[in-house]
Amino acid sequence: MIKVLDSFVADKIAAGEVIERPVSAVKELVENSIDAGAGSIIVEIRKGGKSYIRVTDDGCGISFDEAETAFLRHATSKITGITDLDNIVSLGFRGEALASISAVSRLTMVTRRAEDISGVKLVLHGGRVVTKERTGCNTGTTVIVEDLFYNTPARRKFMKTDAREASSIIELIQQYAVCYAGIRFMMINNGMTLFSTNGDGDPYAVISLLYPSLAKNGLLPVSSSSVKGYVSDPGSTMSTRKGQLFFVNGRLVSSAVIEKGLEEGYQGRIFSGFPAAVLFIEAEPCDIDVNIHPGKQEIRFLRQDDVRSGIAEAVSKAVMTGAGVPKGFVKKIESDAEKQLNVDVQQKKETGSAEQTSIREFLKNLEERDSHKESREIPESVEDPEIKMASAVAEEPELLYTPLSSQAKAAPEPVRIPAPFDFAELTYKGYIFNTYIIMQGSDEVYIFDQHAAHERVFYEKFMRGYNNSAHSPQPVLTAFTINVSNDVYSMSGEWLGDLVRMGYDIEDFGDCTFIVRGIPPYMSLSEAEGFARGYAEAVGETGGINRVVVDKLITKSCKSAVKAHDVLSEQEITDLMSELAKCDNPYSCPHGRPTFIRISSYDIERSFRRK
Ligand code: ADP
Ligand code: MG
């Protein structure tokens, strides 16, 4: 039942529903359709939504008697009292959207409940009912918004170009389609169907269809009780956060807390950029406040730390697996992926012929690229699903109606259930360039960087030793000296004490030299020597330290602890592997670079065009 909230409750809904652009109207209408339990939602726009917006659903519909009430301010069927505000399970709750949209447009609503013989058609101009009549129609609701802001010229000025407005709307519908994979969405722009999803409930299929670049390298499934979704492997990052979609209780949100949790989940394995992630987070409605933003895009978590650590833990489980090991040859693919995302996001959303040309151009480039493949080191498969996707848009829009399950099959990498990475399964296959160790797993080859691996092993050994063991120096047979530059020498007050605390017996020997008579018990002689030197120099570089940067300095100094271009014996390789296997995070060096990469037998076969 749609009722007008009393003024006390209404006042609590402080944020107010603001329709400032066509996309805000579309968002409210689509949210209403979702709240109405729709299984199918069709969104059609013309001229970026400025002249025409139509949202059609097969949801519960509205009765003849209540049709007008829905347009009153603070009229809602979703909450009744003040306590409900703390327990919002629907997307809408303010009862303001239809009132706000109808006030600034010419609006037509056609709606029928399943149990009614006939439906109702209601026309409002500037919020005033012009006609109300019974009509035959399908179950569900269609809302048509024409000439948005026709009576508010000031608002009209703030709208962007048709293409930009269309772009925002299409992006929004793509996001909802991913979040509500169980609902069939169809997006029509200027008479052209851009995409439709089949509502079979598989978000990965929708991601593959609408964001092929995200799915291209294969996303890792995240699954904990409150966090589900997909994240990219640490090697496939993007330069912006465009590849991050967060949904809390079915609501698309931007949230620094979630971003932080996501980042933490990678445990320092992101070398640069931002991981791609589509996360569905479930929270108790009473633990979030969704009423802090006019567009409801931001929410407040009442228990931020729990949310953050819950996300970090779930992401970490997904990433710290064999599937999370960065793929070899990823560089080229990665930059293509980013380019492609921009094509997805920008060009697909431009209007009419502009879109056609740009995608054709894009295809032409791809073709040219393909014809040069022979000369490329690692050819990519001709069976590129993105190429298929783009051609579908450019030439045969109806192709997009093919069942999503077949689209999903075209996704390059099937969703895998992550298994913990097992070093014991690897066999040693070789050693190349005096730097890289080749190990073979059941279906993949792994290439380890001995330096990165050493750094990781040393870093963890060091941190463990530093935290757990007594810091009394272990005497060395022959004392050694360390020479530093003048500036580092003059700053010895800054770093000498640290080394002593770490377990060095070290003393000023005059003339820019220090003598070391004892080393920390958890280091070998060469490690201790390299580390002391690296630490002193690192302090010199940063020009002084405080407690906060000590960890960074240690990280940096690890590098010097590992001798460059050491040729390792097979025994040393075996030792290194078993030490790495014992690390908490064997996947990346302390600087975030991968310690090893993987190349699947599939990738190799593909490169030889066997697949
Ligand atoms: P809110 O969504 O905050 O309740 P709205 O102004 O968006 O407020 O909608 C007012 C009421 O109209 C809703 O509470 C709902 O009962 C009804 N309504 C709106 N859109 C639809 C729809 N597509 N299908 C069924 N009912 C709808
Ligand atoms: Mg609403």
Side-chain angles (χ1 to χ4, degrees):
M1 232 241 301
I2 307 178
K3 286 183 301 180
V4 180
L5 297 170
D6 67 39
S7 61
F8 177 63
V9 182
D11 289 346
K12 284 282 171 205
I13 303 175
E17 216 91 82
V18 183
I19 305 299
E20 34 173 34
R21 292 174 55 195
V23 67
S24 3
V26 173
K27 178 170 186 284
E28 294 299 333
L29 297 176
V30 168
E31 290 189 350
N32 279 347
S33 296
I34 295 170
D35 283 344
S40 158
I41 299 173
I42 302 170
V43 179
E44 177 171 5
I45 54 168
R46 286 182 212 149
K47 296 213 161 116
K50 293 175 191 171
S51 69
Y52 186 87
I53 296 168
R54 175 171 66 94
V55 176
T56 298
D57 67 53
D58 59 354
C60 64
I62 304 174
S63 70
F64 186 90
D65 295 341
E66 288 191 326
E68 280 169 272
T69 317
F71 290 89
L72 297 176
R73 204 158 281 282
H74 301 308
T76 181
S77 58
K78 298 168 193 173
I79 60 170
T80 49
I82 191 74
T83 47
D84 292 350
L85 263 185
D86 297 328
N87 198 22
I88 291 166
V89 288
S90 53
L91 292 171
F93 55 88
R94 292 181 185 138
E96 287 190 317
L98 289 183
S100 306
I101 299 168
S102 64
V104 292
S105 68
R106 294 185 236 270
L107 189 147
T108 306
M109 176 190 263
V110 180
T111 182
R112 182 170 75 86
R113 300 185 304 176
E115 61 264 43
D116 297 336
I117 303 160
S118 63
V120 49
K121 179 177 170 190
L122 195 66
V123 180
L124 298 95
H125 287 180
R128 264 202 224 123
V129 178
V130 180
T131 47
K132 180 180 180 184
E133 59 196 23
R134 291 197 188 270
T135 178
C137 60
N138 291 335
T139 309
T141 304
T142 294
V143 176
I144 297 170
V145 177
E146 286 168 290
D147 307 322
L148 192 61
F149 304 135
Y150 79 99
N151 53 358
T152 52
R155 270 280 157 77
R156 220 162 41 224
K157 271 193 227 137
F158 283 104
M159 286 195 280
K160 303 193 176 117
T161 61
D162 290 2
R164 290 276 290 280
E165 294 294 347
S167 171
S168 316
I169 293 169
I170 295 159
E171 191 166 352
L172 179 85
I173 303 305
Q174 293 194 150
Q175 292 163 344
Y176 274 109
V178 168
C179 184
Y180 292 91
I183 297 177
R184 292 171 50 216
F185 279 88
M186 185 188 282
M187 178 72 230
I188 304 167
N189 183 25
N190 292 336
M192 194 171 93
T193 301
L194 293 187
F195 61 82
S196 72
T197 62
N198 71 355
D200 73 356
D202 176 5
Y204 196 82
V206 183
I207 297 168
S208 307
L209 175 73
L210 301 179
Y211 299 92
S213 49
L214 289 192
K216 179 159 185 166
N217 285 337
L219 293 170
L220 309 169
V222 175
S223 183
S224 76
S225 55
S226 56
V227 185
K228 306 245 171 340
Y230 302 91
V231 294
S232 62
D233 73 64
S236 308
T237 53
M238 310 179 76
S239 55
T240 67
R241 288 193 194 273
K242 263 191 193 164
Q244 299 184 347
L245 299 181
F246 306 134
F247 303 96
V248 176
N249 294 359
R251 193 185 291 281
L252 178 75
V253 297
S254 52
S255 156
V257 174
I258 302 176
E259 284 171 8
K260 194 107 206 304
L262 173 68
E263 193 190 310
E264 264 179 44
Y266 280 85
Q267 298 186 10
R269 288 178 62 191
I270 299 287
F271 188 50
S272 66
F274 303 96
V278 179
L279 294 179
F280 305 97
I281 294 147
E282 290 295 327
E284 288 297 330
C286 60
D287 278 345
I288 54 177
D289 186 353
V290 295
N291 194 27
I292 60 165
H293 185 269
K296 294 173 282 184
Q297 277 121 340
E298 278 168 30
I299 56 169
R300 186 184 297 131
F301 291 105
L302 303 186
R303 288 187 249 169
Q304 298 198 354
D305 286 346
D306 293 353
V307 172
R308 202 197 63 240
S309 63
I311 292 168
E313 206 173 296
V315 169
S316 184
K317 267 201 197 112
V319 177
M320 298 293 164
T321 60
V325 175
K327 282 180 146 190
F329 310 143
V330 81
K331 194 96 195 144
K332 178 73 195 151
I333 295 169
E334 184 188 347
S335 54
D336 278 357
E338 277 197 41
K339 254 187 255 151
Q340 175 60 33
L341 184 76
N342 290 333
V343 172
D344 292 348
V345 173
Q346 306 248 310
Q347 301 188 347
K348 209 153 95 190
K349 293 164 190 176
E350 310 227 318
T351 46
S353 61
E355 180 193 27
Q356 298 271 7
T357 354
S358 53
I359 289 184
R360 270 173 215 283
E361 246 170 49
F362 169 65
L363 280 175
K364 211 172 114 230
N365 292 341
L366 280 184
E367 269 160 32
E368 275 167 17
R369 198 185 70 179
D370 283 353
S371 65
H372 289 116
K373 263 184 183 163
E374 278 68 29
S375 59
R376 298 223 338 244
E377 215 184 341
I378 305 300
E380 274 177 52
S381 165
V382 188
E383 297 290 316
D384 190 334
E386 282 183 16
I387 300 177
K388 274 197 210 141
M389 173 61 199
S391 11
V393 174
E395 271 130 40
E396 298 161 288
E398 66 275 20
L399 257 189
L400 286 171
Y401 291 95
T402 50
L404 263 181
S405 47
S406 69
Q407 292 276 359
K409 269 185 218 127
E413 186 145 347
V415 184
R416 306 197 219 176
I417 299 305
F421 188 76
D422 190 359
F423 278 84
E425 278 178 8
L426 305 182
T427 44
Y428 173 65
K429 287 291 171 186
Y431 185 47
I432 52 174
F433 307 131
N434 289 338
T435 301
Y436 303 106
I437 300 158
I438 318 277
M439 305 292 281
Q440 187 187 321
S442 59
D443 201 28
E444 274 164 328
V445 170
Y446 297 92
I447 304 180
F448 287 74
D449 176 334
Q450 71 176 36
H451 301 299
H454 248 139
E455 272 175 61
R456 166 53 62 186
V457 167
F458 180 74
Y459 178 74
E460 290 202 10
K461 195 165 78 167
F462 183 94
M463 292 314 270
R464 254 197 307 270
Y466 185 68
N467 291 330
N468 301 337
S469 66
H471 300 163
S472 45
Q474 178 191 342
V476 288
L477 284 180
T478 326
F480 60 89
T481 54
I482 293 175
N483 254 309
V484 296
S485 55
N486 264 313
D487 55 328
V488 175
Y489 184 73
S490 64
M491 286 196 300
S492 66
E494 305 256 5
W495 53 268
L496 200 60
D498 285 329
L499 290 180
V500 171
R501 270 187 295 280
M502 286 170 197
Y504 280 87
D505 177 355
I506 183 168
E507 253 183 285
D508 190 342
F509 209 50
D511 205 12
C512 293
T513 305
F514 294 85
I515 186 157
V516 180
R517 296 201 181 84
I519 61 172
Y522 47 89
M523 290 191 199
S524 73
L525 187 62
S526 65
E527 282 171 350
E529 201 179 331
F531 182 82
R533 232 176 230 123
Y535 195 77
E537 273 159 26
V539 175
E541 265 173 46
T542 47
I545 56 170
N546 57 47
R547 287 293 104 196
V548 187
V549 296
V550 166
D551 186 60
K552 278 205 176 123
L553 290 173
I554 291 172
T555 310
K556 235 173 158 185
S557 322
C558 289
K559 220 179 162 50
S560 11
V562 182
K563 278 198 240 144
H565 292 294
D566 275 343
V567 181
L568 301 184
S569 68
E570 221 172 299
Q571 184 56 49
E572 284 171 319
I573 289 172
T574 314
D575 292 348
L576 177 60
M577 284 295 127
S578 69
E579 286 196 66
L580 187 63
K582 280 185 243 149
C583 285
D584 289 337
N585 173 10
Y587 303 102
S588 68
C589 81
H591 311 89
R593 279 190 294 270
T595 43
F596 59 111
I597 56 171
R598 70 190 160 108
I599 302 167
S600 64
S601 61
Y602 175 81
D603 289 336
I604 295 173
E605 284 173 56
R606 211 174 60 151
S607 304
F608 284 108
R609 308 249 175 140
R610 281 163 165 268
K611 282 207 167 152

